[in-house]
Amino acid sequence: MLTLTGQEIEKIAGLLQKGMICFYQLNNRKIHHLPDDEDYFNYDLTPEEEDVLDEIDDNPDNYAEFTKLEPNQEHQMMETFVDRVVKEKTFQDELVNALSKPKAATAFKFLIDDSKYKDRWAEYKLDKYKDWILEQVDAFNYADE
C-alpha cells in the first residue's frame, strides 16, 4: 500500500510542474525524477539517471510512477481558475481569449505572471497537482490489490 507524506506530495508536485517524471521507490521511500521525454526529447541522461532507469526496468514492482497532467487537463485547470478565481470581467475575457488560441498555456502564463493573480495561480496549480498525485496513488493502490 503506497502512502505519501505531505512533504513528498509537495516535492513530486513541484517536479511534475517542471516537466519531470517521478518514480517513487517503495522499499526505501525515495523519490527519483527524470526529464519527461516529451519536454526534453534531445536530453541525454546522466549515468545516474540511466542507473535509475535500469533499476526500474529490473524491479518495476518496487516503483510507483507519477506523471504530469495531460495538456487537456492543464487547459481545463486554467479555464476553471479563470471561472472561479478571477473576478475582473475584463481580465477574465483576456484570459479566455488567450486560452482559445494556439499556444494557450504560454499566453495564459504571460498574462497571469503580469497580474495580481500570479501567486494565487501558483497556489491553485500546486493544489490541483497534489490532487492529481493522490489520484495516481489511488490508482497504484487499486492496481496493486
Side-chain angles (χ1 to χ4, degrees), residues 2-69:
L2 172 61
T3 57
L4 299 174
T5 66
Q7 190 174 7
E8 290 169 331
I9 292 169
E10 188 134 349
K11 180 176 181 179
I12 293 170
L15 290 166
L16 295 180
Q17 289 181 68
K18 292 177 183 169
M20 298 286 144
I21 293 178
C22 294
F23 297 93
Y24 187 83
Q25 192 172 0
L26 301 172
N27 66 344
N28 69 4
R29 301 188 63 84
K30 185 173 181 186
I31 299 167
H32 301 280
H33 63 281
L34 302 167
D36 187 334
D37 286 344
E38 293 175 6
D39 292 340
Y40 298 93
F41 54 89
N42 61 355
Y43 176 85
D44 292 327
L45 293 175
T46 66
E48 294 83 15
E49 291 169 334
E50 288 183 17
D51 289 345
V52 168
L53 279 180
D54 289 343
E55 170 62 27
I56 292 167
D57 285 342
D58 292 344
N59 195 1
D61 292 341
N62 191 35
Y63 292 87
E65 180 179 352
F66 293 92
T67 59
K68 66 182 181 177
L69 290 165

Side-chain angles (χ1 to χ4, degrees), residues 84-103:
R84 295 184 181 169
V85 179
V86 177
K87 299 300 179 208
E88 296 84 6
K89 180 74 173 125
T90 307
F91 191 52
Q92 249 184 356
D93 292 344
E94 286 180 53
L95 291 169
V96 168
N97 186 38
L99 290 172
S100 69
K101 296 183 176 176
K103 306 237 185 227

